[in-house]
Amino acid sequence: MKIKKILVSQPAPENGKSPYFELADKNNLLIDFRPFIHVEGIPAKEFRQHRIDILDHTAVIFTSKTSVDHFFRICEEIRVTVPDSMKYFCISESTAYYLQKYIVYRKRKIFYGNGKFSDLMDLINKHREETYLVPLSDIHKEEIPKTLKEQRIKYSKAILYRTVCSDLSDLSLLNYDMLVFFSPSGIKSLKQNFPDFEQDSMKIASFGTTTASAVEKAGFRLDVKAPLPEAPSMTMALEQFIRLHNRNAKK
């Protein structure tokens, strides 16, 4: 059976230039988007129980725009005024520019990397005298606190938001030929929302080694794995698989 309809477990792209739209047009596909997980902020009461004083820190490390939102949210909720002297170290340029939503950008000391935490560490090591606050989700890459600890950087890890399963009770998976996942949390949501789900001929695609492992541990068959040397993006991996599969399905 040919693959005609795909469900991508992420929010729909905000602009019309997504590679998913190109994939759909070139291969005569219908692609829907639906996030299987979402983020909820940690309440101020819960944050206070961790006994972290934001003003004891002289710099903040932001690994995503979501971490920016929840840092300033919690500051507002606990009535902390962030001093103008606070320094910001951002994983990427786009995350750095996102700070304009909350601060006067040109008046602050802001540093950013190229998207990799290892590169951001080069900047952090040049400012070893700072005491860093790292806003994170309850599910985060252990590489971040591990690297900071190994390099003897003074820091506090602040869990400010958590990843939770979305309510998908209105969704029928029977309408789709393929599901696409990007995190183990997405697989957890699939199991939670559809406890009786049986894969059968449904194809499953995943991005990243941890997601691939989660698919297999959940007892599902992994049909498309990305990234690969010949397919560094999910859309490239999907296109290669779908073209071959649909060509064979004609026979």
Side-chain angles (χ1 to χ4, degrees):
M1 189 170 63
K2 294 173 68 173
I3 295 169
K4 297 179 180 178
K5 195 168 183 181
I6 300 172
L7 180 62
V8 177
S9 60
Q10 283 189 329
E14 293 181 359
N15 58 55
K17 295 184 179 180
S18 167
Y20 285 100
F21 298 140
E22 296 177 20
L23 175 69
D25 290 341
K26 288 167 63 177
N27 297 276
N28 195 28
L29 302 169
L30 181 59
I31 300 180
D32 287 341
F33 298 87
R34 178 68 179 269
F36 275 44
I37 56 175
H38 65 276
V39 167
E40 290 182 355
I42 298 295
K45 181 179 179 181
E46 184 175 334
F47 174 74
R48 287 193 180 97
Q49 292 173 354
H50 298 158
R51 299 187 181 279
I52 295 172
D53 189 339
I54 291 173
L55 298 181
D56 282 347
H57 303 80
T58 58
V60 187
I61 298 173
F62 290 123
T63 57
S64 66
K65 293 177 182 178
T66 302
S67 66
V68 174
D69 286 334
H70 286 282
F71 171 75
F72 287 100
R73 173 191 62 81
I74 206 73
C75 286
E76 182 178 355
E77 289 182 7
I78 65 175
R79 298 180 182 178
V80 165
T81 300
V82 183
D84 291 350
S85 59
M86 185 73 80
K87 296 178 181 177
Y88 302 97
F89 291 76
C90 303
I91 194 73
S92 66
E93 185 177 14
S94 63
T95 304
Y97 283 141
Y98 187 71
L99 284 169
Q100 294 177 99
K101 182 177 178 181
Y102 299 99
I103 63 174
V104 180
Y105 192 86
R106 67 181 184 277
K107 292 185 178 181
R108 304 297 174 89
K109 293 183 178 179
I110 300 170
F111 310 86
Y112 57 83
N114 64 3
K116 295 181 179 179
F117 189 72
S118 56
D119 293 321
L120 185 60
M121 276 305 304
D122 293 338
L123 290 169
I124 293 170
N125 272 312
K126 292 177 182 177
H127 297 81
R128 299 185 61 85
E129 72 282 2
E130 308 295 343
T131 301
Y132 292 88
L133 182 71
V134 191
L136 292 169
S137 166
D138 60 330
I139 300 173
H140 57 268
K141 293 181 179 179
E142 286 302 324
E143 169 203 8
I144 296 169
K146 180 181 177 183
T147 303
L148 291 168
K149 185 176 181 179
E150 286 175 349
Q151 302 202 23
R152 298 182 180 179
I153 300 296
K154 292 177 291 182
Y155 80 98
S156 301
K157 182 171 73 172
I159 303 301
L160 299 187
Y161 52 103
R162 57 171 61 95
T163 303
V164 298
C165 299
S166 300
D167 180 4
L168 306 175
S169 56
D170 62 317
L171 187 66
S172 174
L173 297 184
L174 296 176
N175 293 333
Y176 300 96
D177 306 308
M178 175 180 279
L179 305 177
V180 182
F181 294 97
F182 296 86
S183 71
S185 300
I187 303 301
K188 178 183 177 182
S189 181
L190 172 66
K191 296 276 286 185
Q192 181 173 308
N193 279 281
F194 307 99
D196 298 325
F197 171 72
E198 293 184 8
Q199 185 175 1
D200 297 328
S201 62
M202 174 88 71
K203 308 302 180 192
I204 291 181
S206 73
F207 191 89
T209 54
T210 56
T211 311
S213 177
V215 171
E216 292 166 350
K217 284 181 181 177
F220 301 128
R221 181 187 69 254
L222 181 58
D223 300 287
V224 183
K225 185 177 181 180
L228 295 172
E230 65 275 16
S233 71
M234 175 56 81
T235 50
M236 290 177 68
L238 289 175
E239 180 156 32
Q240 290 178 13
F241 179 84
I242 290 167
R243 284 192 170 183
L244 181 61
H245 176 85
N246 285 357
R247 190 184 307 130
N248 292 334
K250 291 180 181 178
K251 298 176 180 179

